[in-house]
């Protein structure tokens, strides 16, 4: 049915003979499945003198016969093919190769089809064969209108109309809703099933040798006939519903998923795969998943009619080392602090948990924070989800019973900086001192006690230890 075959020349014949020496492998359906389905062929002048009895003996039940093309061409072998195919007991249909680029021309081709058929009986439909690039260039709306115009004339004449083209052309140039009343004959080679989301009457699935019917260039178009028994997919089963993949040196970062379409007798068992977030993970046409970045993403297996199953893929990066980065590891009795850690690699998704060597001195709270219980020292071990560890020593001192500094009154100029220089009683400690400015418009203070004059005026500055002990400074800011 290809355009190349219809424009055959001596040069093309030579090419086809060469190609036939190196046939292209076809995945399509397996032999057992093929035997359970009704198979057929389609022929034209390029098949020359077809031995239909030999074709029938090989198990083929139907034949689509080209009757003509364009505005003037009549297939010279049509009448002979029609007669011999009938004698061999094959179900006969015809197709008309279109060169139309508008509705008017499509209607003319339909009328010419009927004139050439001249009332002959058919067991199979009459198909409008739309393949020309000139037609597709006119756009989806026009192509759909041409199909409908042709098929309606055929229907009114009492025949069963159909439309033929490739899967991609159906999806790009033919609006299914507008032609769904007609039978769909779809062409898609070298695939398990066509990637088409609607029922089809017949599938041209391969171009392969058929004894007695090969073209002069070799091989013959072959079809699987579903008729009105096309079974829609109603479910998709996926091999995993949750999957964990780890990133990092020496780690796989890949995984394989499989899926199947149900019911078992579904006519189209093709699976489309896609990732809902390709920045986290990709999936190819065979369900092979490649992780790219940390996160969670759904990998979706979908039948061509939109039935889906999902696998939740979580991508993580385990740690190879951990380091505690707190500058100050001394706390007051009763004080609570949190430890901060740097994991290697920096994008590790690991969490870490803590354990104290002596919880009577340093206690690990349920939220992972540390509390000083009594004076002394304890070793705290940090362990990541991946089992990497590090140790730090925590010192617990008395809680301060007062907070003081040497300036209860201080003058500074706008733009100048002054540190409160907080003092605590000997052998007492507060890991964190909270600072507060009564008027940030007049003066600001950072978490180290550095005061900066902002504008002329005065305000109170407060410093407070973890246990509520505090002190104040009256700050005057001058120009």
């Amino acid at each position: 049915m290809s355009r190349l075959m219809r424009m055959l020349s001596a040069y093309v014949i030579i090419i086809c003979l060469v190609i036939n020496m190196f046939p292209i492998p076809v995945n399509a359906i397996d032999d057992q499945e093929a035997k359970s389905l009704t198979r057929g062929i389609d022929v034209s002048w390029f098949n020359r003198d077809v031995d239909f009895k030999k074709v029938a003996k090989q198990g083929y039940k139907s034949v689509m016969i080209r009757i003509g093309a364009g505005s003037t061409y009549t297939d010279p072998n049509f009448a002979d093919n029609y007669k011999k195919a009938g004698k061999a007991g094959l179900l006969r249909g015809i197709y008309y190769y279109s060169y139309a680029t508008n509705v008017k021309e499509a209607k003319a081709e339909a009328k010419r089809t009927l004139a050439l058929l001249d009332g002959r009986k058919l067991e199979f439909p009459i198909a409008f064969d739309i393949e020309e690039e000139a037609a597709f260039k006119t756009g989806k709306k026009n192509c759909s209108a041409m199909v409908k115009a042709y098929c309606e004339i055929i229907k009114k004449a009492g025949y069963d109309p159909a439309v033929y083209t490739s899967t991609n052309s159906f999806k790009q140039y033919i609006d299914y809703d507008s032609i769904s009343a007609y039978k769909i004959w779809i062409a898609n080679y070298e695939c398990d099933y066509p990637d088409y989301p609607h029922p089809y009457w017949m599938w041209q699935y391969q171009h392969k040798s058929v004894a007695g019917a090969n073209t002069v260039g070799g091989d013959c178009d072959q079809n699987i006939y579903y008729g009105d028994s096309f079974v829609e997919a109603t479910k998709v089963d996926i091999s995993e519903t949750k999957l964990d993949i780890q990133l990092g040196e020496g780690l796989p970062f890949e995984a394989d998923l499989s899926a199947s379409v149900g019911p078992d007798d579904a006519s189209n068992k093709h699976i489309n795969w896609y990732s809902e977030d390709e920045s986290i993970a990709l999936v190819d046409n065979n369900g092979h998943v490649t992780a790219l970045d940390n996160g969670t993403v759904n990998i979706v297996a979908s039948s061509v009619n939109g039935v889906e199953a999902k696998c939740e893929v979580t991508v993580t990066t385990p740690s190879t080392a951990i380091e505690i980065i707190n500058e100050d590891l001394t706390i007051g009795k009763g004080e609570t602090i949190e430890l901060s850690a740097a994991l290697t690699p920096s994008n590790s998704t690991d969490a870490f948990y803590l354990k104290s060597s002596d919880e009577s001195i340093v206690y690990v709270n349920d939220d992972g924070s540390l509390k000083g219980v009594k004076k002394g020292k304890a070793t705290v071990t940090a362990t990541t989800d991946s089992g990497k560890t590090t140790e730090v020593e925590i010192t617990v001192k008395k809680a301060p019973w007062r907070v003081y500094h040497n300036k209860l009154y201080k003058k500074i100029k706008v733009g100048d900086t002054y540190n409160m220089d907080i003092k605590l009683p000997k052998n007492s400690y507060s890991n964190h001192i909270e600072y507060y400015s009564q008027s940030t418009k007049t003066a600001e203070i950072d978490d180290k006690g550095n005061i900066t004059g902002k504008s002329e005026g005065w305000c109170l500055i407060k410093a407070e230890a973890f246990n509520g002990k505090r002190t104040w400074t009256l700050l005057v800011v001058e120009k």
Side-chain angles (χ1 to χ4, degrees), residues 189-345:
Y189 296 174
E190 297 183 68
C191 67
D192 293 327
Y193 294 92
D195 184 13
Y196 187 63
H198 306 291
Y200 41 87
W201 160 72
M202 193 160 65
W203 168 28
Q204 188 183 86
Y205 74 103
Q206 68 179 2
H207 187 72
K208 199 173 182 180
S209 178
V210 176
N214 290 335
T215 65
V216 291
D219 295 344
C220 179
D221 290 325
Q222 298 177 53
N223 305 293
I224 295 294
Y225 166 63
Y226 294 98
D228 296 327
S229 62
F230 190 96
V231 178
E232 288 266 27
T234 58
K235 68 173 183 175
V236 173
D237 293 320
I238 196 166
S239 57
E240 304 283 346
T241 56
K242 288 185 180 294
L243 188 64
D244 294 323
I245 304 178
Q246 292 185 325
L247 292 172
E249 186 175 353
L251 297 174
F253 72 85
E254 295 177 315
D256 288 297
L257 294 172
S258 60
S260 59
V261 170
D264 291 340
D265 61 346
S267 300
N268 191 329
K269 296 182 179 180
H270 180 79
I271 291 288
N272 288 316
W273 293 93
Y274 68 91
S275 167
E276 289 187 346
D277 189 342
E278 293 189 345
S279 67
I280 296 175
L282 299 173
V283 62
D284 67 14
N285 293 333
N286 298 311
H288 183 73
V289 181
T290 302
L292 301 178
D293 198 3
N294 297 324
T296 300
V297 60
N298 284 324
I299 299 298
V300 182
S302 173
S303 68
V304 292
N305 63 335
V307 181
E308 294 183 345
K310 297 182 179 182
C311 174
E312 183 181 86
V313 176
T314 301
V315 182
T316 57
T317 302
S319 62
T320 57
I322 179 174
E323 177 186 3
I324 300 299
I325 58 176
N326 295 60
E327 294 180 358
D328 190 353
L329 296 172
T330 300
I331 59 178
K333 180 182 175 181
E335 185 172 14
T336 297
I337 66 167
E338 293 184 358
L339 293 186
S340 298
L343 300 182
T344 302

Side-chain angles (χ1 to χ4, degrees), residues 30-312:
D30 58 39
D31 292 339
Q32 183 176 359
E33 187 175 5
K35 290 177 182 178
S36 68
L37 297 170
T38 302
R39 293 187 299 158
I41 62 172
D42 48 270
V43 300
S44 66
W45 170 81
F46 298 110
N47 299 81
R48 295 302 195 269
D49 186 15
V50 179
D51 187 338
F52 286 102
K53 290 183 178 179
K54 184 181 288 187
V55 170
K57 286 180 180 179
Q58 296 170 71
Y60 296 96
K61 303 295 184 183
S62 65
V63 58
M64 294 295 289
I65 305 168
R66 186 178 70 171
I67 192 170
S71 59
T72 59
Y73 181 78
T74 301
D75 192 300
N77 285 43
F78 165 68
D80 194 47
N81 283 336
Y82 174 87
K83 183 177 180 181
K84 290 181 178 179
K87 286 184 177 181
L90 297 180
L91 301 171
R92 296 163 298 181
I94 64 171
Y95 69 90
Y96 196 95
Y97 190 90
S98 175
Y99 284 95
T101 58
N102 56 57
V103 168
K104 182 179 179 180
E105 292 174 354
K107 287 181 177 180
E109 289 181 340
K111 292 175 182 178
R112 189 166 187 274
T113 301
L114 295 172
L116 293 174
L117 187 58
D118 194 24
R120 290 180 176 88
K121 176 185 175 182
L122 295 174
E123 297 78 30
F124 259 28
I126 297 175
F128 183 61
D129 182 352
I130 178 170
E131 298 182 49
E132 287 293 311
E133 188 65 26
F136 295 145
K137 284 182 178 180
T138 66
K140 188 172 187 176
K141 184 177 180 180
N142 184 63
C143 287
S144 303
M146 288 195 297
V147 170
K148 186 173 183 178
Y150 181 96
C151 289
E152 280 300 303
I153 291 175
I154 298 301
K155 184 177 180 180
K156 288 178 181 178
Y159 292 98
D160 197 9
V163 55
Y164 166 94
T165 195
S166 69
T167 298
N168 287 337
S169 295
F170 264 119
K171 291 163 71 174
Q172 292 182 56
Y173 304 113
I174 309 295
D175 174 47
Y176 174 77
D177 289 340
S178 68
I179 59 97
S180 60
Y182 318 121
K183 288 182 168 60
I184 290 177
W185 178 18
I186 197 163
N188 203 153
Y189 296 174
E190 297 183 68
C191 67
D192 293 327
Y193 294 92
D195 184 13
Y196 187 63
H198 306 291
Y200 41 87
W201 160 72
M202 193 160 65
W203 168 28
Q204 188 183 86
Y205 74 103
Q206 68 179 2
H207 187 72
K208 199 173 182 180
S209 178
V210 176
N214 290 335
T215 65
V216 291
D219 295 344
C220 179
D221 290 325
Q222 298 177 53
N223 305 293
I224 295 294
Y225 166 63
Y226 294 98
D228 296 327
S229 62
F230 190 96
V231 178
E232 288 266 27
T234 58
K235 68 173 183 175
V236 173
D237 293 320
I238 196 166
S239 57
E240 304 283 346
T241 56
K242 288 185 180 294
L243 188 64
D244 294 323
I245 304 178
Q246 292 185 325
L247 292 172
E249 186 175 353
L251 297 174
F253 72 85
E254 295 177 315
D256 288 297
L257 294 172
S258 60
S260 59
V261 170
D264 291 340
D265 61 346
S267 300
N268 191 329
K269 296 182 179 180
H270 180 79
I271 291 288
N272 288 316
W273 293 93
Y274 68 91
S275 167
E276 289 187 346
D277 189 342
E278 293 189 345
S279 67
I280 296 175
L282 299 173
V283 62
D284 67 14
N285 293 333
N286 298 311
H288 183 73
V289 181
T290 302
L292 301 178
D293 198 3
N294 297 324
T296 300
V297 60
N298 284 324
I299 299 298
V300 182
S302 173
S303 68
V304 292
N305 63 335
V307 181
E308 294 183 345
K310 297 182 179 182
C311 174
E312 183 181 86

Side-chain angles (χ1 to χ4, degrees), residues 421-467:
D421 193 21
I422 293 301
K423 306 294 184 182
L424 302 176
K426 187 176 181 181
N427 294 324
S428 68
Y429 207 80
S430 180
N431 187 273
H432 179 69
I433 300 293
E434 183 178 349
Y435 297 96
Y436 168 78
S437 171
Q438 186 185 33
S439 173
T440 55
K441 181 179 179 181
T442 303
E444 292 180 347
I445 185 166
D446 65 18
D447 59 2
K448 301 295 184 183
N450 297 308
I451 304 168
T452 302
K454 304 298 291 182
S455 65
E456 186 178 11
W458 65 272
C459 66
L460 290 173
I461 302 295
K462 180 182 75 171
E464 184 175 345
F466 79 90
N467 60 347

